[in-house]
Amino acid sequence: MKTLIRGGRLIDPSRGLDMISDLLIENDKIIGIGTGIAVPDASILIDASNLIVSPGFIDIHCHLREPGEEHKETIATGTAAGAKGGFTTLCAMPNTIPAMDNPEMLLDIKARAEKFGIVKVIPIGSVTLGRYGKILTDMRGMADAGAIGFSDDGNPIADYHIMHKALLQAKALGLPIINHCEDPSLSKNGVMNEGIVASALGLPGWPSLAEENMVKRDIELAMQTNSRIHLAHISTRGSVEFIRQAKNMGINITAEATPHHLTITEEWVRPINDSMLKYNTNAKVNPPLRTKEDVDAIVLALSDGTIDCIGTDHAPHSTEDKSYSFEDASFGISGLETAFGALMSLVHKNRIDLSTLIKSLTYAPARIINKPDICTGTLDVGSRADVTIFDPDLRWQVKSDLFISKGKNTPIAEEFLQGYIKTTIVDGRIVYESEDPIIVD
Ligand SMILES: [Zn+2]
């Protein structure tokens, strides 16, 4: 079966490609790039004129909630939401119930994804049994079962000695430890960024230092052990500085930032204009939304490569989970369906160039994941046909009740975004085609 994508602007940052071209897919592979490809026997023809054709997006960090919390998300709904967001591969964090802490569970997740997944799912195994931070898991067994790295995400690996041992084991397997950087002795019961908004709202603060302390420790450990650490969801200016210095010294670390930490601040925790509520629990996330100075530093870091890639940290919750007091509401933002539109605001404001943004969603995470048989983040001839087609300028309004994700928890509901996913193709199959966007002006 052949699919021809005709006349789009192909952008593939892995080799600096940016040109108007056709793209030909046969079965699950890209077999041709060039202008004027004539394919009389193409079974599917996609007119991509005035659209951008990119490698399929890869999310190195999301929460699919299955097994254990299927009322928040399932592999079926999470991967469908991913497809709508332009993602062709999702890396699933292991903070399920029970935790994904053994090879059998990873194989089970892969089997479920094979059966119910709309896009590809790659599992991340947990570092410690039950994610309790005490006893290391069978990392070798999980690597054999397909883990692309190990993380206790949701929790940090706070114990220095456990982290040290974990790094040596992961190093022997050639895989990274992905750490959620939070020093619990400093974040304590904090629920939002420590600062003036927290003081004004009377909420306990989660200081920048809680993240930066652990980023510093991890850099030190990566240097000592010469092993790979990937730092999840970096949120502060200080962390960015530590990472920049470490990379300049040649230390083997990589880092990600979320769409929300790149685009909105702690101010979003304040109540929505006409609401009677004291705050907006949909803006409660871990690590918390920070200040404008932090956001600016992270945008600059993404632009200069200090931050390698985007991870959505898609964290769907039920409406009930978010309807408690701010202190008791769950942490997390449902982000797969708004990630691209939100990030495009940085391109439209000339804060980051389009090619860098696409790289951070494609080739950069693919290199960290390092599973070229599953995803390469490129449009190379011969590679898997994972392709995302989008309109960079189309304006639309976020309607959380129309999310495919079970998690309607977004702080940017009703906001206007510019940049719209049109078509998502996984292994040569069209898995998502958009309807016209909702615009109510
Ligand atoms: Zn985390």
Side-chain angles (χ1 to χ4, degrees):
M1 191 180 90
K2 286 180 183 166
T3 301
L4 180 64
I5 302 170
R6 195 150 65 187
R9 177 178 162 202
L10 261 59
I11 301 183
D12 178 358
S14 72
R15 52 202 165 106
L17 192 80
D18 186 344
M19 62 178 188
I20 303 291
S21 172
D22 302 335
L23 184 126
L24 183 62
I25 296 167
E26 183 169 18
N27 300 324
D28 61 347
K29 297 274 185 336
I30 294 173
I31 61 162
I33 286 178
T35 44
I37 298 180
V39 184
D41 61 335
S43 2
I44 299 172
L45 189 65
I46 299 173
D47 178 9
S49 38
N50 302 316
L51 300 177
I52 292 176
V53 179
S54 154
F57 301 161
I58 298 163
D59 189 2
I60 195 166
H61 186 150
C62 76
H63 300 278
L64 296 178
R65 307 297 191 206
E66 183 178 342
E69 292 184 297
E70 286 86 350
H71 63 292
K72 299 187 185 206
E73 196 78 289
T74 63
I75 287 172
T77 58
T79 54
K84 187 177 168 194
F87 292 91
T88 52
T89 301
L90 304 177
C91 296
M93 279 293 179
N95 63 335
T96 48
I97 302 171
M100 287 152 56
D101 64 2
N102 61 76
E104 292 71 27
M105 253 191 99
L106 262 61
L107 292 172
D108 178 51
I109 293 294
K110 280 170 63 178
R112 293 184 195 212
E114 199 68 45
K115 199 163 169 196
F116 304 112
I118 308 295
V119 305
K120 290 180 264 197
V121 175
I122 307 181
I124 296 168
S126 52
V127 176
T128 63
L129 287 178
R131 297 170 50 253
Y132 297 130
K134 304 275 188 227
I135 301 162
L136 289 183
T137 51
D138 173 11
M139 287 160 72
R140 179 169 297 280
M142 288 195 287
D144 291 342
I148 51 101
F150 306 97
S151 181
D152 279 356
D153 187 53
N155 297 333
I157 302 152
D159 185 306
Y160 170 92
H161 299 283
I162 293 282
M163 183 64 165
H164 191 269
K165 273 193 224 161
L167 281 168
L168 293 176
Q169 289 214 15
K171 180 185 175 184
L173 300 167
L175 297 176
I177 298 287
I178 303 169
N179 200 15
H180 165 119
C181 293
E182 173 182 354
D183 180 339
S185 72
L186 294 176
S187 59
K188 290 202 163 151
N189 59 343
V191 291
M192 71 168 294
N193 185 44
E194 183 178 81
I196 51 167
V197 181
S199 300
L201 297 176
L203 294 170
W206 187 139
S208 296
L209 191 63
E211 176 174 299
E212 290 155 8
N213 254 6
M214 196 160 284
V215 166
K216 224 161 99 178
R217 182 206 72 174
D218 282 357
I219 289 170
E220 194 66 38
L221 273 169
M223 186 167 67
Q224 272 181 38
T225 58
N226 193 26
S227 53
R228 284 173 66 202
I229 302 184
H230 178 73
L231 303 168
H233 44 53
I234 290 302
S235 73
T236 83
R237 181 171 58 167
S239 297
V240 162
E241 273 319 307
F242 288 131
I243 295 165
R244 191 174 279 126
Q245 285 168 17
K247 286 192 166 185
N248 285 338
M249 290 166 67
I251 299 169
N252 200 358
I253 51 165
T254 51
E256 79 194 21
T258 68
H260 44 275
H261 291 113
L262 283 156
T263 54
I264 58 176
T265 67
E266 61 183 358
E267 291 292 334
W268 288 70
V269 174
R270 290 185 192 273
I272 302 165
N273 294 336
D274 52 353
S275 109
M276 301 292 288
L277 300 170
K278 287 185 287 188
Y279 32 63
N280 181 2
T281 55
N282 282 328
K284 181 181 178 184
V285 63
N286 187 357
L289 298 172
R290 303 286 186 184
T291 66
K292 181 173 182 302
E293 289 69 35
D294 295 303
V295 172
D296 288 348
I298 292 167
V299 171
L300 184 66
L302 183 66
S303 178
D304 72 14
T306 302
I307 300 280
D308 298 80
C309 66
I310 305 292
T312 67
D313 197 6
H314 173 72
H317 288 293
S318 68
T319 306
E320 195 191 353
D321 296 323
K322 285 288 192 181
S323 60
Y324 303 113
S325 70
F326 202 89
E327 283 94 329
D328 293 332
S330 297
F331 284 102
I333 289 175
S334 178
L336 283 171
E337 291 164 76
T338 54
F340 175 69
L343 291 164
M344 278 300 288
S345 69
L346 300 172
V347 175
H348 291 299
K349 290 177 191 158
N350 290 319
R351 307 278 310 278
I352 190 164
D353 65 77
L354 181 58
S355 173
T356 304
L357 176 62
I358 292 177
K359 183 180 174 189
S360 72
L361 286 162
T362 58
Y363 184 55
R367 282 210 306 188
I368 297 167
I369 292 165
N370 193 25
K371 286 271 180 195
D373 51 326
I374 300 173
C375 59
T376 58
T378 73
L379 295 176
D380 287 341
V381 169
S383 67
R384 293 274 198 153
D386 294 340
V387 182
T388 298
I389 304 174
F390 61 83
D391 183 329
D393 297 316
L394 192 61
R395 213 161 154 267
W396 59 288
Q397 191 173 22
V398 177
K399 292 284 179 193
S400 54
D401 51 339
L402 297 181
F403 279 2
I404 296 176
S405 169
K406 290 190 184 183
K408 314 299 179 191
N409 48 306
T410 175
I412 58 169
E414 307 301 318
E415 290 296 306
F416 287 92
L417 302 177
Q418 195 183 0
Y420 194 71
I421 302 298
K422 300 289 279 187
T423 308
T424 307
I425 298 174
V426 175
D427 286 340
R429 281 179 305 112
I430 296 174
V431 296
Y432 172 77
E433 273 181 299
S434 71
E435 293 169 13
D436 287 339
I438 303 285
I439 298 179
V440 187
D441 244 338

